[in-house]
Structure formats: structure tokens, C-alpha cells
Amino acid sequence: QVQLVESGGGLVQAGGSLTVSCAASGRFDSIVAMGWYRQAPGKQRDLVAKITSGGSTNYADSVKGRFTISRDNAKNTVYLQMNSLIPEDTAVYYCNAYIYRGRRWDDYWGQGTQVTVSS
């Protein structure tokens, strides 16, 4: 069993900052990559940022220069530092992990954490 537990969402004013974190726990062999997706009401779930075990990152164009993803491999935890937040960043943020377990690779998801940016 693999669990992803997110924390750190909340309400923030436009221009403010917020950090969300996600810790993976359970039995698995390795975490290949971890990342964050977000889904606004009535919209599809989109990639925000992703980081591999080696530290390679990629970001959605809409968050480049404002968001920073980082990872603590020893703690199996990924962080998303969000700066200069705008109302369009309002969404449920989901943690994702691509994990090698039992001779297979699978995607795992957290339960989601709400981020609301007020104007």
C-alpha cells in the first residue's frame, strides 16, 4: 500500500506565497518522480510541476518563474513553493508519484489540497 499525504493548502491573497508538501509512505522500491497537478472547477487536471529522483524538473508555462518544486529523497517528500500567486492559480492541487513497486511502475495520487487565491 502506498499513501500520498498532502498538506499546506489554504487561502492567500493575490501576490502572496504558499507552500504545499506531499509525503509518500508505504512499501515500495523507489520513487521515480513526484509532482503536482491542479484542477480548477470545470477544467481538466493539468501538470503544474514535476521533479525526478535525479532532480530534473519541468514546469507548466503558466507557473514558470513563480513556482519552485523541490524534493527530499530521504523523506520521500516533495514541496511546491508558490510565489506571486494570482487568482487563476486557484484549484485543488494533487500530489502525484510515479513509483516502482512489485516489478511494475504505477501512478499514485494524493487526496488533493485546496489552494484559493483571492483578488
Side-chain angles (χ1 to χ4, degrees):
Q1 192 83 5
V2 176
Q3 280 191 317
L4 301 181
V5 179
E6 300 137 334
S7 60
L11 174 65
V12 64
Q13 287 189 330
S17 298
L18 201 62
T19 298
V20 290
S21 63
C22 170
S25 63
R27 299 185 67 176
F28 48 85
D29 298 291
S30 64
I31 301 177
V32 177
M34 297 186 78
W36 291 92
Y37 288 70
R38 67 187 181 186
Q39 187 168 20
K43 296 190 176 181
Q44 66 181 20
R45 187 178 298 187
D46 291 323
L47 173 70
V48 176
K50 182 170 283 190
I51 184 167
T52 68
S53 58
S56 298
T57 60
N58 66 294
Y59 295 89
D61 288 342
S62 60
V63 307
K64 283 180 181 177
R66 299 189 298 122
F67 290 11
T68 301
I69 191 169
S70 60
R71 178 173 170 173
D72 185 334
N73 289 333
K75 295 182 179 179
N76 294 322
T77 299
V78 64
Y79 306 92
L80 184 69
Q81 171 70 42
M82 302 180 285
N83 298 325
S84 302
L85 284 160
I86 58 178
E88 290 75 16
D89 295 319
T90 295
V92 178
Y93 284 68
Y94 294 93
C95 176
N96 169 267
Y98 191 55
I99 289 176
Y100 183 61
R101 173 177 181 262
R103 300 182 182 180
R104 55 182 291 165
W105 290 264
D106 283 302
D107 275 309
Y108 292 86
W109 295 90
Q111 78 284 358
T113 185
Q114 178 70 46
V115 172
T116 302
V117 184
S118 63
S119 56

